[in-house]
Amino acid sequence: MFSVLYSGGIDSTVLAYHLALSGGLNRLILIDYGQASIGIQRELLEHHAKHLAVVPVCLKVDLQTIAGKPINAEVFQPGFKPTITMDREDLDGVYHNNLSAIPEWSWIEGRNTLFMMAAATHSVYNDCQAMYCGFQLNAPEHTEFDSHYRVRGNDITPSFLTAVNELCFHAFSKPFTVQAPFFTLSKQHIVQMGKHLRVDFGKTYSCEFYPKCGECEQCREVARHFQ
């Protein structure tokens, strides 16, 4: 059996439907870390889990308590609209040369590592042998990140996933892996796969903010594929 780390977005939703074809999908795991969009994400979790006949799981990860101080990231604030928008291609140089130049709303320290290990631990305790996530990098971006084994502040990269699996090896007494089969697929390919699987894209939510800001990279990417 295996699980899917679910966010409500296109990639994790299509991944769940794709993996369900094998019959091994057991549960969808959503992380509640206090984000403003958690309400709609929970609704989508319940909807797709019911459709796929799997277990819906919403894990609470209290980032504010872990940080020991208020985290003022805009993902916690309903109605936020980013004033600076950059496509992934524009951010490549920023990521590699000056992390501090990344807009504050796009980064929360330790977020994906905490999510990964919380969801992986839940999966292991519930007899899953693997967890899948919908990480997706466009071709030039994947090549760039994959050529740098260690890149500070990039927690959706191949090297990050390698590090997570190394951590799982040491953390668990039984074999368990985290896999990201969409890493090298284009967004267009994933959307086409979803259409073939009859995924209801109206039941997805890709924006980090709530309500949808219409300005961030995720919103603009969705708009490009569903105009």
Side-chain angles (χ1 to χ4, degrees), residues 6-34:
Y6 174 78
S7 69
I10 290 173
D11 299 334
S12 63
T13 302
V14 173
L15 178 61
Y17 277 73
H18 172 66
L19 293 173
L21 295 176
S22 71
L25 179 60
N26 177 263
R27 57 195 55 221
L28 302 183
I29 304 174
L30 171 68
I31 305 295
D32 175 0
Y33 61 103

Side-chain angles (χ1 to χ4, degrees), residues 193-214:
M193 181 185 297
K195 290 178 178 178
H196 178 74
L197 293 168
R198 298 182 182 276
V199 172
D200 182 356
F201 289 109
K203 294 289 186 180
T204 60
Y205 193 90
S206 296
C207 186
E208 275 203 84
F209 313 109
Y210 185 83
K212 292 179 182 178
C213 70

